[in-house]
Amino acid sequence: EEGRREVGGRSAAFRHCLERARVVAATDAPVLLLGETGVGKEVMANFIHRNGGGKGPFVAVHPASVSETLFENEFFGHEKGAFTGADRRRDGRFLQADGGTLFMDEIGDMSLSAQAKVLRALQENKITRVGGDRDIPVDVRVVAATNKNIRKEIELGNFREDLYHRLGVIVIEVPALRERASDIPELVGHFLRRVSEELHTPLKEIDRSALDALQQKDWTGNIRELRNVVERLLILSGERITLEDVERYC
């Protein structure tokens, strides 16, 4: 299946996550993806977008990486002449994603001011460009993600509860790699093929003992870390990837 080929896995934990994503994809409900860094939340967001018909663009943005002064410009765009250097009208992320999916990554790091601006846009389904004087309707499906405990952030006063309820109509927990260790052989095979194509290097076989060793690791960086390790093994190993390679390069 397409989702499994892309992200890999047949474990119960992954199947549960994938099936829930497939069900919600058929609706326009906002989705909040929870999970540790590197578990593949953006891949899951893309899966939801595609399985919802994939209509319109998929636009990914990391809100916390945008400064307070540029936030409205980045998300809502600006009119020509809105500020020095604004020589033409520009669409922000909401309008770029109009008719499609806006993926907002690591929303737990957003400032309270930015949260208020996003909440207004989601509640009213419209935005106003910087320097503009009219509301512009937008039709976006929002998928958000965070590696933080949002409930705790709400208690600490760091995250708006009303925004949480707006974004978390459906909440999906993306499992950590250690919770789906049985998927590692399939993931390794997938990454070996992909990396060999990207680097234009021969595809290598990997010994069963090497796979067993990879399944025993903690993978605090999750799938992202596994992919980096596979790339390292492909480059630095001999004709095939052995247990000794795993012990040396992981």
Side-chain angles (χ1 to χ4, degrees):
E1 293 178 28
E2 187 176 359
R4 290 199 179 95
R5 284 201 304 270
E6 181 170 341
V7 295
R10 301 178 186 279
S11 65
F14 179 75
R15 286 203 316 272
H16 175 74
C17 174
L18 195 65
E19 288 308 314
R20 193 164 191 181
R22 196 191 308 279
V23 169
V24 73
T27 76
D28 289 328
V31 181
L32 177 59
L33 301 173
L34 305 179
E36 298 174 7
T37 299
V39 294
K41 295 188 289 292
E42 183 169 349
V43 172
M44 191 60 65
N46 222 312
F47 175 85
I48 291 170
H49 171 70
R50 292 194 324 273
N51 283 267
K55 64 182 191 302
F58 178 87
V59 177
V61 63
H62 195 311
S65 68
V66 182
S67 69
E68 285 290 319
T69 54
L70 295 177
F71 189 88
E72 288 188 73
N73 183 39
E74 180 70 18
F75 274 75
F76 309 136
H78 63 253
E79 296 288 354
K80 181 178 179 180
F83 49 83
T84 303
D87 55 357
R88 62 184 177 85
R89 172 185 287 173
R90 175 186 177 276
D91 287 340
R93 298 294 189 173
F94 269 86
L95 279 173
Q96 290 170 17
D98 194 33
T101 301
L102 179 63
F103 173 60
M104 298 194 297
D105 197 11
E106 300 306 346
I107 58 161
D109 296 327
M110 269 198 300
S111 70
L112 289 169
S113 171
Q115 291 173 39
K117 293 168 184 175
V118 168
L119 178 63
R120 177 184 176 276
L122 296 178
Q123 286 176 328
E124 301 180 3
N125 292 317
K126 58 189 179 184
I127 58 96
T128 304
R129 292 190 182 96
V130 176
D133 57 4
R134 67 184 181 92
D135 292 330
I136 304 168
V138 289
D139 174 24
V140 296
R141 199 267 181 74
V142 175
V143 179
T146 182
N147 62 5
K148 290 192 172 182
N149 182 331
I150 289 295
R151 293 284 190 183
K152 184 175 181 180
E153 293 301 309
I154 292 171
E155 292 176 5
L156 294 172
N158 297 329
F159 200 84
R160 296 179 62 118
E161 186 169 11
D162 47 3
L163 179 58
Y164 167 75
H165 290 304
R166 174 66 60 170
L167 294 173
V169 173
I170 303 295
V171 178
I172 298 176
E173 185 86 35
V174 183
L177 188 54
R178 64 181 173 278
E179 297 169 359
R180 45 182 295 218
S182 62
D183 291 334
I184 287 177
E186 184 175 344
L187 287 164
V188 168
H190 171 74
F191 288 138
L192 280 172
R193 290 187 295 273
R194 174 172 288 185
V195 172
S196 68
E197 290 173 2
E198 292 175 356
L199 300 181
H200 306 290
T201 58
L203 182 62
K204 295 179 182 179
E205 297 289 331
I206 181 168
D207 290 347
R208 181 69 246 185
S209 59
L211 284 174
D212 290 342
L214 291 174
Q215 285 182 275
Q216 300 304 313
K217 294 191 172 294
D218 289 337
W219 300 112
T220 54
N222 292 292
I223 292 177
R224 189 178 301 157
E225 181 186 6
L226 177 63
R227 190 198 187 283
N228 291 341
V229 165
V230 168
E231 182 170 354
R232 192 181 310 139
L233 289 169
L234 188 66
I235 294 170
L236 299 176
S237 63
E239 293 184 0
R240 60 185 297 115
I241 300 170
T242 67
L243 173 61
E244 289 72 25
D245 293 320
V246 171
E247 292 172 343
R248 183 179 299 122
Y249 302 124
C250 286

